PDB file of all heavy atoms in Angstrom:
ATOM      1  N   ALA L  77       1.746  24.499   6.026  1.00 90.00           N
ATOM      2  CA  ALA L  77       0.869  23.375   6.353  1.00 90.00           C
ATOM      3  C   ALA L  77       1.225  22.691   7.654  1.00 90.00           C
ATOM      4  O   ALA L  77       0.371  22.060   8.285  1.00 90.00           O
ATOM      5  CB  ALA L  77       0.914  22.350   5.212  1.00 90.00           C
ATOM      6  N   LEU L  78       2.485  22.778   8.086  1.00 91.00           N
ATOM      7  CA  LEU L  78       2.942  22.041   9.259  1.00 91.00           C
ATOM      8  C   LEU L  78       3.245  22.982  10.419  1.00 91.00           C
ATOM      9  O   LEU L  78       3.504  24.160  10.231  1.00 91.00           O
ATOM     10  CB  LEU L  78       4.195  21.226   8.918  1.00 91.00           C
ATOM     11  CG  LEU L  78       4.076  20.243   7.752  1.00 91.00           C
ATOM     12  CD1 LEU L  78       5.404  19.533   7.527  1.00 91.00           C
ATOM     13  CD2 LEU L  78       2.967  19.238   8.006  1.00 91.00           C
ATOM     14  N   ARG L  79       3.237  22.395  11.605  1.00 91.00           N
ATOM     15  CA  ARG L  79       3.570  23.152  12.814  1.00 91.00           C
ATOM     16  C   ARG L  79       4.653  22.418  13.592  1.00 91.00           C
ATOM     17  O   ARG L  79       4.774  21.195  13.504  1.00 91.00           O
ATOM     18  CB  ARG L  79       2.333  23.340  13.689  1.00 91.00           C
ATOM     19  CG  ARG L  79       1.261  24.227  13.075  1.00 91.00           C
ATOM     20  CD  ARG L  79       0.066  24.338  13.985  1.00 91.00           C
ATOM     21  NE  ARG L  79      -0.581  23.046  14.203  1.00 91.00           N
ATOM     22  CZ  ARG L  79      -1.609  22.849  15.010  1.00 91.00           C
ATOM     23  NH1 ARG L  79      -2.120  23.867  15.688  1.00 91.00           N
ATOM     24  NH2 ARG L  79      -2.137  21.649  15.143  1.00 91.00           N
ATOM     25  N   ASP L  81       5.051  20.925  16.375  1.00 89.00           N
ATOM     26  CA  ASP L  81       4.317  20.405  17.532  1.00 89.00           C
ATOM     27  C   ASP L  81       5.184  19.569  18.450  1.00 89.00           C
ATOM     28  O   ASP L  81       5.036  19.621  19.666  1.00 89.00           O
ATOM     29  CB  ASP L  81       3.142  19.536  17.047  1.00 89.00           C
ATOM     30  CG  ASP L  81       2.067  20.358  16.370  1.00 89.00           C
ATOM     31  OD1 ASP L  81       1.912  21.531  16.744  1.00 89.00           O
ATOM     32  OD2 ASP L  81       1.404  19.828  15.468  1.00 89.00           O
ATOM     33  N   THR L 309      -1.339  12.772  -1.215  1.00 91.00           N
ATOM     34  CA  THR L 309      -0.367  12.954  -0.133  1.00 91.00           C
ATOM     35  C   THR L 309       0.860  13.655  -0.693  1.00 91.00           C
ATOM     36  O   THR L 309       1.579  13.098  -1.521  1.00 91.00           O
ATOM     37  CB  THR L 309       0.046  11.601   0.467  1.00 91.00           C
ATOM     38  OG1 THR L 309      -1.105  10.908   0.909  1.00 91.00           O
ATOM     39  CG2 THR L 309       0.996  11.805   1.632  1.00 91.00           C
ATOM     40  N   THR L 315      12.407  15.236   7.337  1.00 92.00           N
ATOM     41  CA  THR L 315      12.091  15.560   8.730  1.00 92.00           C
ATOM     42  C   THR L 315      13.116  16.496   9.355  1.00 92.00           C
ATOM     43  O   THR L 315      12.838  17.094  10.398  1.00 92.00           O
ATOM     44  CB  THR L 315      12.025  14.275   9.564  1.00 92.00           C
ATOM     45  OG1 THR L 315      13.263  13.547   9.414  1.00 92.00           O
ATOM     46  CG2 THR L 315      10.868  13.395   9.132  1.00 92.00           C
ATOM     47  N   GLU L 319      11.045  17.570  12.719  1.00 92.00           N
ATOM     48  CA  GLU L 319      10.888  16.586  13.797  1.00 92.00           C
ATOM     49  C   GLU L 319      12.219  16.024  14.256  1.00 92.00           C
ATOM     50  O   GLU L 319      12.278  15.336  15.262  1.00 92.00           O
ATOM     51  CB  GLU L 319      10.012  15.426  13.318  1.00 92.00           C
ATOM     52  CG  GLU L 319       8.622  15.838  12.900  1.00 92.00           C
ATOM     53  CD  GLU L 319       7.848  14.661  12.344  1.00 92.00           C
ATOM     54  OE1 GLU L 319       8.469  13.610  12.051  1.00 92.00           O
ATOM     55  OE2 GLU L 319       6.623  14.774  12.203  1.00 92.00           O
ATOM     56  N   HIS L 440       1.774   7.460   7.857  1.00 53.00           N
ATOM     57  CA  HIS L 440       2.468   8.323   8.812  1.00 53.00           C
ATOM     58  C   HIS L 440       2.582   9.767   8.335  1.00 53.00           C
ATOM     59  O   HIS L 440       3.453  10.506   8.762  1.00 53.00           O
ATOM     60  CB  HIS L 440       3.869   7.749   9.084  1.00 53.00           C
ATOM     61  CG  HIS L 440       3.835   6.312   9.445  1.00 53.00           C
ATOM     62  ND1 HIS L 440       3.365   5.875  10.660  1.00 53.00           N
ATOM     63  CD2 HIS L 440       4.144   5.203   8.750  1.00 53.00           C
ATOM     64  CE1 HIS L 440       3.419   4.554  10.692  1.00 53.00           C
ATOM     65  NE2 HIS L 440       3.885   4.119   9.550  1.00 53.00           N
ATOM     66  N   ALA L 441       1.739  10.149   7.418  1.00 56.00           N
ATOM     67  CA  ALA L 441       1.789  11.522   6.920  1.00 56.00           C
ATOM     68  C   ALA L 441       1.200  12.479   7.947  1.00 56.00           C
ATOM     69  O   ALA L 441       0.435  12.097   8.818  1.00 56.00           O
ATOM     70  CB  ALA L 441       1.014  11.634   5.609  1.00 56.00           C
ATOM     71  N   HIS L 442       1.574  13.721   7.831  1.00 61.00           N
ATOM     72  CA  HIS L 442       0.996  14.775   8.662  1.00 61.00           C
ATOM     73  C   HIS L 442      -0.252  15.275   7.939  1.00 61.00           C
ATOM     74  O   HIS L 442      -0.210  16.286   7.240  1.00 61.00           O
ATOM     75  CB  HIS L 442       2.002  15.907   8.862  1.00 61.00           C
ATOM     76  CG  HIS L 442       3.279  15.471   9.491  1.00 61.00           C
ATOM     77  ND1 HIS L 442       3.547  15.647  10.821  1.00 61.00           N
ATOM     78  CD2 HIS L 442       4.346  14.824   8.983  1.00 61.00           C
ATOM     79  CE1 HIS L 442       4.748  15.163  11.092  1.00 61.00           C
ATOM     80  NE2 HIS L 442       5.243  14.660   9.992  1.00 61.00           N
ATOM     81  N   GLY L 443      -1.339  14.550   8.069  1.00 75.00           N
ATOM     82  CA  GLY L 443      -2.520  14.936   7.316  1.00 75.00           C
ATOM     83  C   GLY L 443      -2.261  14.719   5.842  1.00 75.00           C
ATOM     84  O   GLY L 443      -2.033  13.605   5.393  1.00 75.00           O
ATOM     85  N   GLU L 444      -2.251  15.819   5.075  1.00 87.00           N
ATOM     86  CA  GLU L 444      -2.043  15.698   3.643  1.00 87.00           C
ATOM     87  C   GLU L 444      -0.611  16.013   3.234  1.00 87.00           C
ATOM     88  O   GLU L 444      -0.280  15.962   2.052  1.00 87.00           O
ATOM     89  CB  GLU L 444      -3.017  16.617   2.901  1.00 87.00           C
ATOM     90  CG  GLU L 444      -4.473  16.236   3.148  1.00 87.00           C
ATOM     91  CD  GLU L 444      -5.449  17.064   2.337  1.00 87.00           C
ATOM     92  OE1 GLU L 444      -4.982  17.870   1.514  1.00 87.00           O
ATOM     93  OE2 GLU L 444      -6.656  16.895   2.521  1.00 87.00           O
ATOM     94  N   VAL L 445       0.254  16.335   4.189  1.00 91.00           N
ATOM     95  CA  VAL L 445       1.652  16.642   3.893  1.00 91.00           C
ATOM     96  C   VAL L 445       2.538  15.697   4.693  1.00 91.00           C
ATOM     97  O   VAL L 445       2.366  15.543   5.906  1.00 91.00           O
ATOM     98  CB  VAL L 445       1.994  18.105   4.238  1.00 91.00           C
ATOM     99  CG1 VAL L 445       3.456  18.397   3.953  1.00 91.00           C
ATOM    100  CG2 VAL L 445       1.103  19.045   3.454  1.00 91.00           C
ATOM    101  N   ALA L 446       3.471  15.044   4.013  1.00 89.00           N
ATOM    102  CA  ALA L 446       4.351  14.066   4.651  1.00 89.00           C
ATOM    103  C   ALA L 446       5.801  14.499   4.487  1.00 89.00           C
ATOM    104  O   ALA L 446       6.165  15.169   3.515  1.00 89.00           O
ATOM    105  CB  ALA L 446       4.135  12.685   4.037  1.00 89.00           C
ATOM    106  N   LEU L 447       6.616  14.076   5.432  1.00 89.00           N
ATOM    107  CA  LEU L 447       8.050  14.351   5.391  1.00 89.00           C
ATOM    108  C   LEU L 447       8.809  13.038   5.278  1.00 89.00           C
ATOM    109  O   LEU L 447       8.476  12.060   5.958  1.00 89.00           O
ATOM    110  CB  LEU L 447       8.491  15.087   6.654  1.00 89.00           C
ATOM    111  CG  LEU L 447       7.829  16.438   6.927  1.00 89.00           C
ATOM    112  CD1 LEU L 447       8.247  16.970   8.292  1.00 89.00           C
ATOM    113  CD2 LEU L 447       8.192  17.437   5.839  1.00 89.00           C
ATOM    114  N   ALA L 636      -5.790  13.340   4.167  1.00 87.00           N
ATOM    115  CA  ALA L 636      -5.788  13.384   5.632  1.00 87.00           C
ATOM    116  C   ALA L 636      -6.586  12.224   6.211  1.00 87.00           C
ATOM    117  O   ALA L 636      -6.194  11.608   7.207  1.00 87.00           O
ATOM    118  CB  ALA L 636      -6.368  14.717   6.115  1.00 87.00           C
ATOM    119  N   ASN L 639      -4.707   8.803   5.375  1.00 85.00           N
ATOM    120  CA  ASN L 639      -3.460   8.593   6.105  1.00 85.00           C
ATOM    121  C   ASN L 639      -3.665   8.355   7.591  1.00 85.00           C
ATOM    122  O   ASN L 639      -2.697   8.198   8.324  1.00 85.00           O
ATOM    123  CB  ASN L 639      -2.534   9.803   5.917  1.00 85.00           C
ATOM    124  CG  ASN L 639      -1.783   9.749   4.609  1.00 85.00           C
ATOM    125  OD1 ASN L 639      -1.109   8.771   4.318  1.00 85.00           O
ATOM    126  ND2 ASN L 639      -1.913  10.790   3.802  1.00 85.00           N
TER     127      ASN L 639
END
Side-chain angles (χ1 to χ4, degrees):
L78 304 179
R79 293 179 297 176
D81 291 330
T309 304
T315 55
E319 300 176 347
H440 309 288
H442 302 260
E444 298 185 5
V445 179
L447 300 173
N639 279 305

